[in-house]
Amino acid sequence: MEVRSGSLKTGLPARAIADELTEALYQAPGVRIERIVSTGQVTPEGQWYDQESDEFVLVVTGAARLLIEGEAQERELASGDWLLLPAHCRHRVTWTETDKPTVWLAMHFASTGPA
Amino acid sequence: MEVRSGSLKTGLPARAIADELTEALYQAPGVRIERIVSTGQVTPEGQWYDQESDEFVLVVTGAARLLIEGEAQERELASGDWLLLPAHCRHRVTWTETDKPTVWLAMHFASTGPA
């Protein structure tokens, strides 16, 4: 495998676009790293993310709000803020900035126990 | 496991300090995520990092230069820049900013093949 490189802050849309952009940066057994770019998208009403694996998520630029099931208040996320969401911790993104892109770095860690 | 959270941009030293700060944010079989804070530190002359596992490294704030063995030029890294360093890709950090902290997010992925 060769050295790969990039910037999380390039190739961003100049204005709000219809869908989130998701780009895989690295994938290996048990690990997937993605850059996600939001421009106002949220998780549709009544839907939750419910993932098989732990997720580490970082807001690189921009801002977002995220609700974790069972919590009374949304969490406010700004640049540099990270969350470690255990597998099956249901959560929804309730707000992302609309006037500039919000860049997320998301890492998913599949179960790596013995087969 | 509970939801954990934090900011990569808090708890930074106000001035250059003697040693890098390394803080583990997440550890699971085959994965370790760390925040590293540099204030001018570099890899000692003649030494190389030579790691057993792939590493994904992101400069969150600050700036650095990194030399990969066999490359003629150092790579300049600014906020948002990432590198995927394959296992045993020898590299050294040749410069980090001295007037403000450089924050790295480093992820190490151990081999997760069958035992």
Side-chain angles (χ1 to χ4, degrees):
Chain A
M1 186 168 67
E2 295 209 335
V3 175
R4 292 204 302 267
S5 62
S7 169
L8 298 179
K9 296 186 177 179
T10 58
L12 300 178
R15 60 185 65 80
I17 54 176
D19 295 314
E20 287 186 326
L21 301 175
T22 300
E23 178 188 4
L25 304 179
Y26 176 74
Q27 183 131 17
V31 180
R32 189 174 77 255
I33 303 179
E34 296 173 339
R35 178 178 81 160
I36 301 165
V37 180
S38 307
T39 55
Q41 289 83 10
V42 300
T43 312
E45 192 65 39
Q47 292 186 23
W48 297 87
Y49 289 108
D50 184 345
Q51 293 160 323
E52 297 292 320
S53 60
D54 294 351
E55 177 180 5
F56 179 93
V57 66
L58 168 71
V59 171
V60 178
T61 64
R65 288 197 288 270
L66 186 142
L67 180 65
I68 292 170
E69 193 179 41
E71 295 192 351
Q73 290 234 327
E74 295 158 291
R75 293 178 184 233
E76 306 263 356
L77 301 174
S79 172
D81 289 343
W82 61 268
L83 284 174
L84 193 288
L85 298 161
H88 298 299
C89 169
R90 283 157 54 100
H91 59 281
R92 9 191 348 261
V93 175
T94 55
W95 177 81
T96 58
E97 283 197 320
T98 55
D99 59 339
K100 59 177 178 171
T102 295
V103 177
W104 309 77
L105 183 70
M107 281 158 275
H108 298 270
F109 309 112
S111 168
T112 55
Chain B
M1 187 168 69
E2 295 210 335
V3 175
R4 293 202 302 267
S5 62
S7 169
L8 298 179
K9 297 186 177 179
T10 57
L12 301 178
R15 61 185 64 80
I17 55 176
D19 295 313
E20 287 186 325
L21 300 176
T22 300
E23 178 189 4
L25 305 179
Y26 176 74
Q27 184 132 16
V31 180
R32 188 174 79 256
I33 303 179
E34 295 173 339
R35 179 178 81 162
I36 301 165
V37 180
S38 306
T39 55
Q41 289 84 9
V42 300
T43 311
E45 192 65 39
Q47 293 186 23
W48 297 87
Y49 288 108
D50 184 344
Q51 294 160 322
E52 297 291 320
S53 60
D54 293 351
E55 177 179 6
F56 179 94
V57 66
L58 169 71
V59 171
V60 178
T61 64
R65 288 197 288 268
L66 186 141
L67 180 64
I68 292 170
E69 193 179 40
E71 295 191 352
Q73 291 234 327
E74 296 158 290
R75 292 179 185 234
E76 306 263 355
L77 301 173
S79 171
D81 289 343
W82 60 269
L83 283 175
L84 194 287
L85 298 161
H88 299 299
C89 170
R90 283 157 53 101
H91 59 281
R92 12 193 344 264
V93 176
T94 55
W95 177 80
T96 58
E97 283 197 321
T98 54
D99 59 339
K100 59 178 178 170
T102 295
V103 177
W104 309 78
L105 183 69
M107 282 159 275
H108 298 270
F109 309 112
S111 167
T112 55

